[in-house]
Amino acid sequence: MNDALGLPQSVLVLGGGSEIARAIVRALLARRPATVILAGRPGSPAVDQAAAEARQLGAPAVTVLGFDATDPPSVRGAVDEAFAGSGDIDLVVVAFGLLGDQEAAEKDPLAAVDVAAVNYTGAVVAGLAVAAHLREQGHGTLVALSTVAGERVRRANFVYGSSKAGMDGFYQGLGDALAETGARVVIVRPGFVRTRMTAGMKPAPLATDADGVAAAVVTGLAKGSSVIWVPAALRWVFVGFRHLPRALWRRIPG
Amino acid sequence: MSRLLAGWGRTAPTAARVVPLGDDAGAALAHPGPRGTLARGLGRSYGDAAQNAGGTVLDATAHDELIDIDPEAGTVRVDAGVSLDRLLRRLVPLGFFVPVTPGTRFVTVGGAVAADVHGKNHHHDGSLANHVREMTLATPTGTVTVGPARDPDLFWATAGGMGLTGVLLDATLALPRIESSLLRVDTDRATDLDAVMALMDEGDHRYHYSVAWIDCLARGRHLGRSVLTRGDFAAASGLPAKHRDHPLAYDAAVRIEAPPVFPSGLVNVWTMRVFNEAVYRTAPVRRRDELQPIARFFHPLDFVGGWNRLYGRRGFLQWQCVLPFGAEDTLRSSIEGLSGAGVGSVLAVLKRFGPGNPAPLSFPAAGWTLALDMPVVPALGPLLDGLDEAVVGAGGRVYLAKDSRVSRRLIPVMYPRLPEWRTVRDRVDPEGVLVSDLDRRLDLSGRWA
């Protein structure tokens, strides 16, 4: 069960190799032991590392599942397999995502397919599959890792941004659909996060790191937030950004 | 129909199928569904004790017909869903009081037994189960009557057993007699923790009822400053004229309702400081023999209906510990920790407990008990974890009916007789039909490891 401060006793991560998800698991285990299920790309070394890390931090049980985020039946299968295990799952983190290559996609439309499939289609299938199990349990928290890039899509990365915009909107609606079921959805919207995925990119202002996102998530779970901006100031920055004239917004650099 | 249920602190709501508890509790226990069954009263436990996510919850307030008073014997047999509020309305005019009442009268008899509640008279009378003569309990293996001399193992496992040994159907309580509905109350203001503890050590035995409100935000030389109120029921003789004709008149109205929606964060460290200062300053330094009606002395919070909503959507936590005598240093350092972190409380209470009873999961034990209500702020988690460790280190425990966040690892240390309780539970519920969110979280039953 999640306790009064939102701390879970069991966690499922979809995208178990994600650096942000790993940081979230570390932050949760620092507070309370929890069983951990990590679902990721089969054979991914990052997932194995995450599993070893969770064991080391005192998780009483760690399970690894394989799935392919571009393949919807595989996404659903991983979720069902995780929930078929011995106990309830208190917290699910949907952490898989693909940044993709904007330039390549603008040259070859098919290069955009995986980004759209993973970030939107995969996330939709995962969300719906998890929601069905949480309804049955009568409780549980679904944390969806979105991004500010979906809040207003930019010229510089509109393939990624639009896929995340769709994903973000989907989880908002899912959260409303789950009201009164005991399950809840928490959307996390970090700004620029220094991770492997963004390595080599110039950090944007108000950049954070994976541990910063994790700390904000733990705080947000305690407060019962439904949207967590990281850092919190970005919420107000984007109130302004949403109203910038298009001609100006277009020139915001990559 | 599935409904969202939360505890009084409103922190971790979960959904369950809610079914009224009827005469046929046995049927509900025979077909529990995959996620089990639990009885729920008025939902005044603070955490998740009366929730069963995804399962069935039997609404015991639907089972509230019987109130059978035996004036000769001084007992009442009462359905488990009857509230102390209703019971008092019947008992007081007849010259009886309930043997134990917690700080609210809006609890059911069943819930009160399940938490083995205590009150301001614990140092004299012990907790509720000490006054239960007999009770009828529907268990998954059959409906039984238990009492201190009739299957005492099951009787004591049910007292404080958090509803996990069966669904209580009715209970027979021994009642104290009263001559009036008024209490003669003595109030003392104490400038610090030492002063209030000395007053209680020295004088509590002279009063039937005693409790101290404590300012957990005061620091330095004011640490633990308190207002101590103690009293006894007034005799009929010697009452002032206006009470003489109707000494047992009982008035217990809910004066105002809290608004249905209230923003989080208005009960914060600054508003609490102002409130606490006001409570302390307006209390008399020393007053003797003030006449107070039952509702004001025992249930002051009940004047505001739904006061838990004042903490807003985020809800609030209650933390209550008991520390054995001799662990006063831990008590002091706990209060220092709270006041230092600015995680204060407007409703902090200090009381001296008498000895505990034979129930393996009953909370009270000889020593000091400190109870605090705190708005949910993220910093609370690590702070309370630290306090739990200190309490365990000093041989104390926290109260399950109030808990919503203790680490399950500490439960077998806090409640060392847990294995004994599990043996009794396993006898009456071998399949694990009785389930609560509290049990899933703390693994009292030993089935969630």
Side-chain angles (χ1 to χ4, degrees):
Chain A
M1 295 304 301
N2 290 305
D3 74 8
L5 295 164
L7 292 176
Q9 294 177 306
S10 52
V11 183
L12 164 64
V13 182
L14 300 168
S18 141
E19 277 174 75
I20 294 177
R22 270 173 77 170
I24 292 173
V25 170
R26 281 198 301 271
L28 293 171
L29 289 176
R31 293 292 319 282
R32 287 281 185 279
T35 60
V36 176
I37 307 173
L38 301 172
R41 217 172 292 155
S44 152
V47 177
D48 290 339
Q49 282 166 23
E53 187 175 71
R55 281 189 197 99
Q56 206 189 347
L57 290 171
V62 180
T63 316
V64 171
L65 301 176
F67 80 104
D68 175 0
T70 60
D71 175 26
S74 147
V75 174
R76 182 190 190 166
V79 170
D80 289 348
E81 192 181 341
F83 276 91
S86 58
D88 289 1
I89 296 178
D90 302 333
L91 182 75
V92 180
V93 185
V94 177
F96 60 83
L98 216 54
L99 188 57
D101 183 336
Q102 176 72 27
E103 266 179 55
E106 287 184 34
K107 285 179 194 133
D108 172 11
L110 294 183
V113 168
D114 274 359
V115 173
V118 169
N119 293 353
Y120 184 70
T121 311
V124 165
V125 172
L128 292 169
V130 168
H133 291 287
L134 296 187
R135 272 179 199 277
E136 213 164 292
Q137 282 184 178
H139 75 103
T141 305
L142 204 178
V143 172
L145 291 182
S146 178
T147 160
V148 295
E151 188 64 14
R152 186 170 182 189
V153 177
R154 283 186 301 139
R155 160 71 188 92
N157 65 354
F158 64 83
V159 173
Y160 172 76
S162 66
S163 68
K164 282 294 193 179
M167 180 259 197
D168 193 292
F170 167 81
Y171 279 98
Q172 291 176 44
L174 187 65
D176 291 333
L178 290 175
E180 306 295 310
T181 66
R184 68 185 177 112
V185 173
V186 180
I187 297 172
V188 185
R189 291 188 194 137
F192 189 96
V193 186
R194 290 179 293 264
T195 62
R196 272 195 320 274
M197 190 168 96
T198 59
M201 294 167 63
K202 187 170 159 281
L206 294 174
T208 180
D209 59 11
D211 289 319
V213 178
V217 168
V218 172
T219 300
L221 289 174
K223 292 202 296 198
S225 311
S226 54
V227 178
I228 301 169
W229 299 78
V230 198
L234 278 175
R235 175 181 180 183
W236 308 111
V237 171
F238 269 82
V239 166
F241 276 3
R242 266 196 297 271
H243 297 96
L244 274 189
R246 197 93 178 261
L248 207 59
W249 180 245
R250 191 179 298 151
R251 287 181 180 80
I252 298 270
Chain B
M1 202 197 84
S2 189
R3 245 180 47 199
L4 213 50
L5 299 174
W8 190 240
R10 308 206 305 162
T11 42
T14 63
R17 195 170 61 93
V18 181
V19 182
L21 173 62
D23 296 329
D24 198 9
L29 291 171
H31 307 285
R35 296 181 67 86
T37 299
L38 182 78
R40 174 184 172 100
L42 283 162
R44 290 295 173 122
S45 53
Y46 285 73
D48 47 11
Q51 300 169 213
N52 178 20
T56 303
V57 168
L58 300 171
D59 176 7
T61 62
H63 184 65
D64 68 341
E65 271 172 41
L66 181 75
I67 301 181
D68 183 11
I69 301 163
D70 181 342
E72 299 294 304
T75 60
V76 63
R77 185 165 174 225
V78 59
D79 276 344
V82 172
S83 67
L84 293 196
D85 180 52
R86 260 188 70 204
L87 196 52
L88 285 167
R89 288 173 200 280
R90 290 282 300 277
L91 293 180
V92 173
L94 299 174
F96 290 106
F97 193 58
V98 288
V100 168
T101 174
T104 172
R105 60 185 181 272
F106 295 110
V107 296
T108 60
V109 169
V113 168
D116 192 21
V117 297
H118 57 269
K120 295 183 178 191
N121 57 341
H122 188 274
H123 60 295
H124 261 281
D125 299 332
S127 48
L128 182 64
N130 300 21
H131 309 272
V132 177
R133 294 281 172 81
E134 202 172 77
M135 50 199 190
T136 313
L137 186 70
T139 77
T141 45
T143 297
V144 289
T145 303
V146 296
R150 196 167 172 184
D151 197 344
D153 287 348
L154 183 53
F155 174 80
W156 291 112
T158 300
M162 305 310 288
L164 295 168
T165 60
V167 175
L168 193 72
L169 298 179
D170 63 65
T172 305
L173 309 176
L175 303 172
R177 290 173 201 273
I178 52 176
E179 290 185 23
S180 81
S181 61
L182 296 161
L183 292 110
R184 292 197 177 275
V185 180
D186 289 354
T187 304
D188 293 275
R189 205 163 83 173
T191 50
D192 61 24
L193 188 61
D194 284 338
V196 71
M197 289 168 87
L199 280 170
M200 291 168 105
D201 270 333
E202 176 271 323
D204 263 13
H205 64 276
R206 289 197 301 272
Y207 299 90
H208 209 116
Y209 300 99
S210 163
V211 77
W213 169 89
I214 179 164
D215 181 355
C216 276
L217 283 166
R219 292 187 232 187
R221 65 194 170 86
H222 297 300
L223 186 87
R225 65 181 182 176
S226 306
V227 179
L228 175 61
T229 49
R230 297 183 286 192
D232 293 283
F233 274 101
S237 62
L239 284 178
K242 65 171 178 168
H243 295 298
R244 217 169 293 149
D245 291 343
H246 303 285
L248 290 166
Y250 179 59
D251 173 32
V254 174
R255 307 273 183 227
I256 45 169
E257 281 288 330
V261 180
F262 205 73
S264 290
L266 285 191
V267 182
N268 59 42
V269 71
W270 294 281
T271 54
M272 286 191 284
R273 262 186 223 289
V274 171
F275 179 89
N276 285 6
E277 192 70 34
V279 170
Y280 184 76
R281 293 282 163 212
T282 53
V285 175
R286 186 176 190 278
R287 181 166 57 196
R288 289 293 174 268
D289 261 354
E290 184 197 8
L291 283 174
Q292 289 189 7
I294 285 171
R296 180 169 158 215
F297 184 72
F298 289 103
H299 312 125
L301 287 171
D302 287 342
F303 286 118
V304 183
W307 60 262
N308 58 336
R309 294 195 293 263
L310 298 178
Y311 284 90
R313 182 184 56 83
R314 275 187 211 167
F316 70 105
L317 299 186
Q318 162 104 196
W319 185 77
Q320 180 168 3
C321 72
V322 59
L323 288 161
F325 293 122
E328 286 76 10
D329 286 348
T330 308
L331 183 67
R332 170 182 303 281
S333 60
S334 298
I335 295 171
E336 272 167 358
L338 289 158
S339 69
V343 180
S345 169
V346 286
L347 303 168
V349 158
L350 181 69
K351 156 132 200 90
R352 233 171 144 271
F353 272 157
N357 65 21
L361 293 192
S362 177
F363 166 69
W368 298 98
T369 185
L370 176 68
L372 309 147
D373 281 358
M374 291 163 285
V376 169
V377 290
L380 216 47
L383 179 79
L384 293 180
D385 284 353
L387 295 188
D388 291 341
E389 295 288 348
V391 165
V392 164
R397 58 169 73 123
V398 300
Y399 188 10
L400 297 176
K402 305 239 172 133
D403 176 64
S404 56
R405 33 106 353 239
V406 73
S407 169
R408 74 156 64 166
R409 180 176 55 82
L410 298 179
I411 294 299
V413 194
M414 290 178 168
Y415 291 90
R417 293 172 62 207
L418 189 62
E420 192 184 321
W421 178 82
R422 283 178 181 169
T423 307
V424 181
R425 190 194 122 83
D426 289 348
R427 164 162 68 91
V428 293
D429 184 17
E431 309 284 330
V433 166
L434 296 156
V435 178
S436 68
D437 288 355
L438 176 89
D439 186 36
R440 287 191 179 97
R441 184 167 57 81
L442 297 181
D443 195 25
L444 298 175
S445 64
R447 297 190 310 113
W448 307 102

